[in-house]
Amino acid sequence: MPRLLIVSNRLPISVRVDRGALCLTRSAGGLAAAMRGPHERLNALWIGWPGDVGVLSAEQREDADAALEGLRAAPVHLGAAEQRRFYDGFSNGVLWPLFHYLLDKVNLDAELDWEAYQRVNERFADVVAAQYAPGDAIWVHDYQLMLLPALLRRRLPGARIGFFLHVPFPSAEVFRILPWRQEILRGLLGADLLGFHTAAYRRNFAASAAHVLASDPDEAAIEHDGRKVALGVHPISIDAAEIERLAGHPGVREEAARIRAEARGRRIVLGIDRLDYTKGIPRRLLAIERFLEREPELGEQVRFIQLAVPTRGASGAYADFRRVVHEMVGRINGQHGTTYATPIHFMHRALPVEQVVALYLAADVMLVTPLRDGMNLVAKEYVAARVDDDGALILSEFAGAAAELAEAITVNPYDIGSVAAAVKQALTMPRAEQQVRMAALRRRVAAHDVHVWAQSFLDDLDRAAAAGPGAAAVPARREVPESVVEHVRRAPERVWILDYDGTLVPFAPVPDLAAPDEELLALLRALSERDRVHVVSGRRRADIERWFGALPLHLHAEHGFWSRPRTCDDWVALEPDAAAWKGEIRALLEDVTRRTPGSFIEEKTVTLAWHYRAAEPELAGEHARELRARLAEHIDGGALELLGGAKVLEIRPRGVHKGRVVPLILDDVPARAAVIAIGDDRTDEDIFAALPPSACTIHVGNERSLAAYRLPDAGAVRRLLRASMPA
């Protein structure tokens, strides 16, 4: 029976030795809590790191693995040094601060840590592939494993693979400073579905892919390696019913009453965070200080409780941060404390969930002010716990939860004055207003709980995997094997049909920069001394003549509209020029070109093309979609057709395509000749479709194609041409 394979950096169970005895303890982290339901309900297998087992004996390690298997968990064992470089070094020393916009903390010289990150992702891929059975769905979680989807795609081409990012995805301007940006994006795009908390994070990812990988900046899906990768918005949530149950438990309510009694009639403002520099605790403390300075009388009636949960204690940066926070708390309490009370009650430890819910119940105001946060489940937990529809939530506009919890008091956490003012607003808010706001918040959190989140993602993953790439073309099966190269090499006669841009030379930002180099010219000359070589290009006749006119080649320009045999100096048109349609279409292209810096129009005998490779990706993508829609009104069902290529839209008469020259090429070719066609884009599919099955067809790149084989790039094409020449 197909299963769900949950893959995360850590298992929800840690293995350790306590006084010589093997202990397995369950994690209370946010991801563990969020995925506990799917793990149990769907009979899923969870794959991840179980903790450092280096101190375990061989027998204890076997016992631990057996115990984990009984809990439907599969360990990925890592060495201590490897784990440190992968987790502390790259994941949390590079990606974590980068994705949270704290650029001064990003280590951009982390080459050794990057190597460890790659190795660990490979290790995870090996374990997942070993556990995988046909039909299983794979759900990869978070920034520590961003290379894993592509690694799995190579090992398991037909698998359903989803990835969810639990942290923000930063703006393209921020993400692009990462030296390993291409590898990270390509790693993620191995998935069928990429999930983000908010539409803004999804938009940032699409923009980053457009800038770095030159993909079209579509926020719904991205075409990559011949596949369509869906991009979804799936804001994670909590088990709202469980929090509400705990909030009604007599023991929890008694603990809440005790906390209130200790406050001695003062109002309680609560903060609960991991002690992490992204959570904004120092600026929150400054805002509290500002509030106490501005509102001394009101301040005497308030008790601030800050629970700071320890995190990443081994890191020196976090130790320094902890010291700073402790010093700030001491200074503020020293300045504003009285003989009977101190304003800030600071706790640096973890508490059981029952005590946390009791704090939620006791608090009049919840202060959630991270500098940047993927979601922030504390805000949702507070809302779910307020079963009497009272209390007030102050929420950072830079937390993902702010996109959903509109009735909260939203603040800019960098503006300590506005946070201080929000504290006063929350404390003085009439109970009727509290109830209106909180009731709306509770309805939303209850309706979109963690179970809805998980099922929604899995449903979207099924749809994305089922939709898959289009059925009009099949993937190019494999790279050209040596047996095919040897067959071509030994053929008594050969006919080559070669595209130019993207096939013999890489794409260039401006077409005129893609002129053939001396190596290519020499290679084509040598090839044509033995074989019939046809260059079939979308380029203008003048370009092809200028570059290749002196070589003994058969030349075909403008997608075969013009042809020039090697024995002739004159170009012959496929059919009479029918360019009367150009005026109205040209006006549309000129309009969009004026509004898209970096784009330009290329005019050929019977075609018009709009190029936007050098334009700003988001703007160009928006204008390309607009242009498609406007052109459709003029050409749908008529004598013209619109062809999309690599950052180009081309309008041409229907029926003028490269496939039209194939009968001319094969007209006098002996049956024993080997025919080899190589091309890289949609226009070359017409050639592949027109050739007989006996021809050797090769697609350049990873897009889906009718071709039998593939090569990765123009360099590989040249190597094939050289290898095909007899020694």
Side-chain angles (χ1 to χ4, degrees), residues 208-357:
S208 296
H211 280 281
V212 176
L213 301 180
S215 66
D216 287 328
D218 188 339
E219 293 180 28
I222 288 179
E223 295 278 353
H224 180 72
D225 278 357
R227 301 169 42 256
K228 182 171 284 190
V229 181
L231 307 182
V233 176
H234 299 273
I236 196 171
S237 194
I238 60 170
D239 190 338
E242 175 62 12
I243 296 294
E244 186 173 338
R245 184 191 69 80
L246 287 171
H249 190 278
V252 173
R253 297 191 77 84
E254 287 175 9
E255 176 65 12
R258 188 186 65 78
I259 295 170
R260 280 196 166 279
E262 287 184 352
R264 299 174 183 174
R266 288 181 293 166
R267 311 285 296 284
I268 295 175
V269 178
L270 175 65
I272 297 180
D273 310 86
R274 286 186 300 106
L275 191 59
D276 184 287
Y277 52 70
T278 65
K279 300 300 182 181
I281 296 175
R283 297 204 68 78
R284 184 183 309 163
L285 293 173
L286 291 174
I288 291 171
E289 183 178 36
R290 181 69 59 84
F291 169 79
L292 295 172
E293 291 169 350
R294 285 180 175 177
E295 310 291 340
E297 293 183 3
L298 187 57
E300 290 179 359
Q301 305 170 31
V302 179
R303 187 186 200 197
F304 294 92
I305 298 177
Q306 175 64 56
L307 176 62
V309 179
T311 183
R312 301 169 189 154
S315 168
Y318 282 90
D320 292 340
F321 180 71
R322 183 169 64 249
R323 176 183 52 77
V324 168
V325 169
H326 279 275
E327 289 175 354
M328 290 184 69
V329 171
R331 180 180 61 76
I332 295 170
N333 280 338
Q335 284 185 315
H336 297 278
T338 66
T339 56
Y340 58 88
T342 54
I344 302 174
H345 180 63
F346 184 81
M347 295 180 288
H348 180 220
R349 58 193 175 101
L351 293 179
V353 63
E354 293 82 3
Q355 290 188 38
V356 170
V357 175

Side-chain angles (χ1 to χ4, degrees), residues 496-530:
W496 297 89
I497 304 174
L498 306 174
D499 175 48
Y500 182 67
D501 290 285
T503 299
L504 295 176
V505 295
F507 284 108
V510 179
D512 286 345
L513 297 179
D517 53 83
E518 291 300 324
E519 177 197 50
L520 176 61
L521 294 173
L523 179 58
L524 292 176
R525 183 183 295 278
L527 199 65
S528 64
E529 289 176 356
R530 180 185 185 276

Side-chain angles (χ1 to χ4, degrees), residues 284 286-292 294-295 298 304 365 367 394 409-412 415-429:
R284 184 183 309 163
L286 291 174
I288 291 171
E289 183 178 36
R290 181 69 59 84
F291 169 79
L292 295 172
R294 285 180 175 177
E295 310 291 340
L298 187 57
F304 294 92
V365 178
L367 194 51
I394 299 174
I409 302 171
T410 56
V411 295
N412 174 1
D415 183 353
I416 61 175
S418 71
V419 176
V423 172
K424 180 180 180 180
Q425 178 188 351
L427 288 169
T428 58
M429 184 183 294

Side-chain angles (χ1 to χ4, degrees), residues 376-557:
N376 195 291
L377 297 181
V378 165
K380 293 188 174 184
E381 288 178 351
Y382 177 72
V383 167
R386 304 303 298 190
V387 292
D388 295 328
D389 286 341
D390 58 357
L393 173 63
I394 299 174
L395 181 59
S396 165
E397 65 185 78
F398 299 123
E404 294 179 86
L405 306 183
E407 292 79 12
I409 302 171
T410 56
V411 295
N412 174 1
Y414 292 91
D415 183 353
I416 61 175
S418 71
V419 176
V423 172
K424 180 180 180 180
Q425 178 188 351
L427 288 169
T428 58
M429 184 183 294
R431 183 175 175 81
E433 182 181 347
Q434 288 183 27
Q435 290 181 323
V436 169
R437 287 174 180 258
M438 192 58 68
L441 290 170
R442 288 188 66 239
R443 283 194 300 270
R444 192 170 302 114
V445 170
H448 299 278
D449 67 1
V450 70
H451 307 298
V452 172
W453 167 76
Q455 193 57 54
S456 171
F457 183 92
L458 292 172
D459 289 345
D460 281 2
L461 175 58
D462 286 342
R463 281 190 286 269
V474 296
R477 293 177 177 82
R478 52 178 173 158
E479 290 204 21
V480 183
E482 182 56 37
S483 60
V484 171
V485 178
E486 184 61 25
H487 170 73
V488 170
R489 186 185 295 119
R490 294 178 178 276
E493 294 190 48
R494 302 182 301 192
V495 177
W496 297 89
I497 304 174
L498 306 174
D499 175 48
Y500 182 67
D501 290 285
T503 299
L504 295 176
V505 295
F507 284 108
V510 179
D512 286 345
L513 297 179
D517 53 83
E518 291 300 324
E519 177 197 50
L520 176 61
L521 294 173
L523 179 58
L524 292 176
R525 183 183 295 278
L527 199 65
S528 64
E529 289 176 356
R530 180 185 185 276
D531 304 328
R532 306 182 193 194
V533 181
H534 294 259
V535 174
V536 186
S537 172
R539 290 271 185 169
R540 294 175 299 178
R541 176 178 51 159
D543 294 336
I544 298 300
E545 175 71 38
R546 183 172 74 254
W547 290 341
F548 301 115
L551 298 181
L553 305 172
H554 299 270
L555 302 177
H556 308 270

